[in-house]
Amino acid sequence: MIKKALLSVGLSTLLAMSLSADSLMMATTTSTDDTGLLDYLAPQFEKETGTNLKWVATGTGKALKMGENCDVDVLLVHAPASEKKFVENGFGVDRKEVMYNDFIIVGPISDPAHVSGKGTVEALKTIKDAKANFFSRGDDSGTHKKELSLWENATKVLPEADSWYVQTGQGMLVTINMAAEKNGYTMTDRGTWIKYEAQKGADNKMKIVVEKDKTLFNQYSVIPINKDKCPNVKSELAASFSDWLVKDETQKFIGDFKLLDKTLFTPNASK
């Protein structure tokens, strides 16, 4: 049976769960969980390998910290600069690129700040000048890290002290819902946005206002935890999962995962 670890579960409990001989414990970003991708992949992985994949979904920053603390066996995350530093510091091994989607900025259908059609830099400057409500995850997730880098590039000064800039400390779906309730803007990955569209249907009050900017590329990678740092890590199972994600059959399986007939993640392990 596939089980998903919840954030409310203590780390000691998670570690105990991961010590089961036929199970693998992973820390991952909320987007792979919220979209349903992991519920789609995990049964296939268990069918092919006999290994039960369990996971905790959190921001990439927290996922990396769980790896440093030896609380998991493998990571599936999306903050390349932080991931590379994680590997350089000896906590992870054999980082492999798995898939990508892109980030987008979404806002009210009425678009009160008149952002639609602008490039990322101009859009963020427009939001700041208009003091339009902007909702940030504020949780050191891969999305939050990317968003901060975009603000820094666009305005040189982060807007964290401004009243129109709200840090939710929540996952992506919750943050989009908060933006919708307050007639505001937010940045999300496209996969989670498609999930939001599917959930809301005709009640959706939000739309994409910025997309298809090359700066919005969003790469996901798998990183087994280094056994030299974490002696109890299931390095062989982690390596097996990493290899499984990037093989041709799984890559096609990822590409076939859709909602509303839209692709949520594009496989690119062989690129």
Side-chain angles (χ1 to χ4, degrees), residues 234-249:
K234 296 179 180 177
S235 56
E236 291 185 5
L237 287 182
S240 174
F241 177 67
S242 176
D243 290 341
W244 182 80
L245 279 177
V246 301
K247 72 176 186 175
D248 289 345
E249 294 85 353

Side-chain angles (χ1 to χ4, degrees), residues 15 19 32 34 85 96 117 138 145 157 194 227:
L15 185 57
L19 294 177
T32 61
D34 286 345
K85 184 177 180 181
K96 294 176 181 176
K145 290 173 184 289
V157 178
I194 294 170
K227 194 174 184 66

